[in-house]
Amino acid sequence: MKKIMAAVIIPLMVLSFTGLTSCKSGSPKKQKAQEEQKEVNTIRKEIEKNVYPLPTSAEVIRMLTDLEVGYILGISNPADNAKKYITSAKRSANLGVYGAD
């Protein structure tokens, strides 16, 4: 009789323990990871919305070529002035101006 009781009670206990743990909606670590992933996706979408509308340099060149806009050689900064742009900030500003021209 003890063997029969043990054969019935042990599987019931195993099923009840597995049933109790499966009812949870997930571990706190998984929930936290899912929330962090949602935040990352939200930030990624905001960045794409605000940054990617800017055309790349290749797109600008393609647009200028499509519009058949000519390039005026004398309008850009001469190469001799390169010695004046020593710091990174000055080089960046000159590159921006050159790109805008």
Side-chain angles (χ1 to χ4, degrees), residues 71-89:
Y71 181 76
I72 304 170
L73 290 174
I75 206 167
S76 63
N77 199 358
D80 297 338
N81 290 342
K83 297 171 192 162
K84 295 180 183 178
Y85 303 102
I86 296 172
T87 64
S88 178

Side-chain angles (χ1 to χ4, degrees), residues 11-33:
L12 286 176
M13 289 178 66
V14 169
L15 288 174
S16 65
F17 283 125
T18 58
L20 290 175
T21 58
S22 67
C23 292
K24 294 182 181 178
S25 62
S27 68
K29 289 182 182 181
K30 286 183 182 179
Q31 289 176 349
K32 186 176 180 181

Side-chain angles (χ1 to χ4, degrees), residues 4-71:
I4 295 174
M5 292 289 276
V8 172
I9 292 177
I10 291 175
L12 286 176
M13 289 178 66
V14 169
L15 288 174
S16 65
F17 283 125
T18 58
L20 290 175
T21 58
S22 67
C23 292
K24 294 182 181 178
S25 62
S27 68
K29 289 182 182 181
K30 286 183 182 179
Q31 289 176 349
K32 186 176 180 181
Q34 289 175 349
E35 290 174 8
E36 288 176 356
Q37 186 63 36
K38 287 180 184 178
E39 290 177 13
V40 167
N41 289 338
T42 303
I43 292 170
R44 183 175 290 140
K45 288 178 185 176
E46 286 294 318
I47 289 172
E48 288 175 359
K49 184 172 73 174
N50 294 318
V51 174
Y52 288 117
L54 299 174
T56 64
S57 58
E59 291 172 336
V60 170
I61 292 170
R62 186 179 48 222
M63 285 188 276
L64 292 174
T65 304
D66 291 344
L67 293 172
E68 297 178 4
V69 177
Y71 181 76

